[in-house]
Amino acid sequence: MPKYSSDATDTGLDSVFRALADPTRRAIVEQLSRGPASVSDLAAPFEVALPTIVQHLKALEAGRLVSSAKIGRVRTYQLVPDAFGSAMDWMHRHRPPAQRQVDRLTALLAQSTTPAEGEGQ
């Protein structure tokens, strides 16, 4: 299989998608979307050993999706602001043409239904 050179390597997309490839890591991201949490809080819903959760968190940190801070003996994780921005931009650029046409039509319809200045007063 040929290796393709793309903008994915330049923007860190490979590490983002690699970090999100695992369902446990996606569940952890979902938990963190509600706010920062300690490792033990993040591990609570899973029936795995704490070191397994720590490995998942390291993968999310490698993907630059989460950051952590240690206060005393407690390590707390949080989502990195705009961590998904490059991935969302990439996905937006690679939408099917039909979806882009629907988006343009939606924008056009929104413009045509907005009252012009001075109307309706």
Side-chain angles (χ1 to χ4, degrees):
M1 175 178 249
K3 289 193 175 197
Y4 295 98
S5 176
S6 70
D7 58 352
T9 305
D10 298 338
T11 61
L13 286 175
D14 290 345
S15 60
V16 169
F17 287 124
R18 191 176 309 114
L20 293 173
D22 185 274
T24 300
R25 292 195 285 268
R26 289 192 304 271
I28 290 171
V29 167
E30 188 174 333
Q31 283 181 275
L32 290 173
S33 71
R34 294 181 216 111
S38 68
V39 175
S40 57
D41 289 340
L42 293 169
F46 303 101
E47 295 181 11
V48 297
L50 200 59
T52 303
I53 296 299
V54 170
Q55 289 299 315
H56 284 298
L57 289 165
K58 286 182 181 180
L60 290 168
E61 272 189 306
R64 298 182 198 101
L65 298 174
V66 301
S67 63
S68 67
K70 189 172 184 180
I71 300 173
R73 295 170 53 157
V74 178
R75 181 164 295 277
T76 301
Y77 283 82
Q78 64 185 6
L79 290 178
V80 172
D82 200 35
F84 300 96
S86 61
M88 295 196 51
D89 290 344
W90 184 88
M91 288 186 282
H92 185 74
R93 285 193 316 269
H94 293 86
R95 289 175 303 149
Q99 181 63 47
R100 290 191 295 263
Q101 289 174 345
V102 168
D103 291 347
R104 284 193 299 267
L105 177 60
T106 301
L108 181 64
L109 290 172
Q111 286 177 351
S112 67
T113 59
T114 303
E117 283 187 41
E119 286 185 18
Q121 292 182 358

